[in-house]
Amino acid sequence: MADTSEAVGPTARETDPQAVAEEPELAAHPGPRQYVMVAIALAVATGIEVAWYYANVPHPLFVALLLVLSFLKFSLVVLWFMHLRFDSRIFRRLFATGLALALSVYLIVLVIFGALKAPWLLIVAFFLIVVPVTAFFLRSRRGMGGAV
Amino acid sequence: MATHIKAVEHGAATSTGLSNAKLGMWAFLASECLLFGALISTFLLYRDRHVTGLTPQKVYDIPYTSVSSFVLLMSSLTMVLALAAIQRGDHAKLRTWLVATALLGMTFISGQVYEFTRFVQDGMTIKTNVIATSFFTLTGFHGAHVTVGILMLLSLFGMSLDGRLPVERAEAVELVGLYWHFVDIVWIVIFTVVYLIPKSS
């Protein structure tokens, strides 16, 4: 992994002070070294997921940790590899809207067709999953000061 | 170099100051959330049905699928490194990382073809029951998306070889990258919800 980072070398913003002086927000963008760190985090999270699969733990705990790790991996890829954390808020709003809509619609579908046994679970799921996930992606902003 | 980066970051002369192509790609990805949401929730609806014949949970090979997942995750790394390479005008590295990403994607697809073949040999086909149908539809749609991504990566590689992918057109790599990463995050959800969680239910 380290070799990969070395092979890529520094990005323009690390080598060109003029670029950073002209656009300070460039300094906030991640570089190859950070991408490799994110990839290592993703690999570790996947390893924990698989190890957890073979652990003998109660069902709610088993599902909860897997969902947390899945959300962590999802967020790392969206915010860092897809640059949503560093890009314009319009992109973030577009994606968060699609995500919130999908989560809401399909939670309702799961309740209507009986996959979620109790209808009140819909309200709990909405406030525990849809609202925090949407807010998380809408608020996860860094750099691009003054962008649209 | 500063000019190059600026062209990449703020090249759009639109009312928003943003690239319409990039805006379109994000809108497309938002709509893809709904497509895959439908496929995943269909699987969840049928997962606990009492059916005859083999179900996916009985034929999964978790260690094998874990390796496939790892391969796809690492392809996201090589993809983002390809973008970083073109943004600093390093075309040799761009081509290296594009080919690496395409090869990792092909490895994933080959793994999926092998997995499907084994499932069919074990007696679970798309017609076996509704759980198998929803499983093959979901993972098949994802595989089709990965295949389209591989074709786009190879197109970018060809364009780069022809010299038709200058730094000013780095956005093309960024757009393909967004698509590729999206396919990766869909798999992150599928791996957890479809492969791992059904174990204990």
Side-chain angles (χ1 to χ4, degrees), chain A residues 38 42 71-87 91-92 95-96 99 136-137 140, chain B residues 26 29 33 76 178 181-182 184-186 188:
Chain A
V38 170
L42 290 169
F71 179 71
L72 174 75
K73 289 163 66 182
F74 185 99
S75 306
L76 282 174
V77 174
V78 171
L79 297 178
W80 291 84
F81 285 173
M82 296 172 89
H83 298 132
L84 208 61
R85 183 172 157 82
F86 309 93
D87 236 327
F91 301 139
R92 206 160 38 252
F95 187 69
L99 199 60
F136 176 76
F137 284 108
S140 56
Chain B
W26 274 108
L29 296 182
C33 287
S76 265
L178 285 175
H181 297 311
F182 179 79
D184 187 23
I185 60 174
V186 169
I188 287 172

Side-chain angles (χ1 to χ4, degrees), chain A residues 92-147:
Chain A
R92 206 160 38 252
R93 284 175 182 169
L94 265 176
F95 187 69
T97 302
L99 199 60
L101 200 59
L103 285 170
S104 306
V105 167
Y106 299 117
L107 273 173
I108 293 168
V109 168
L110 291 176
V111 169
I112 289 174
F113 288 96
L116 285 179
K117 305 300 178 200
W120 58 266
L121 276 173
L122 176 64
I123 299 166
V124 174
F126 185 78
F127 284 104
L128 286 183
I129 299 173
V130 181
V131 173
V133 166
T134 310
F136 176 76
F137 284 108
L138 283 176
R139 293 170 65 87
S140 56
R141 184 160 185 263
R142 189 178 159 205
M144 296 297 287

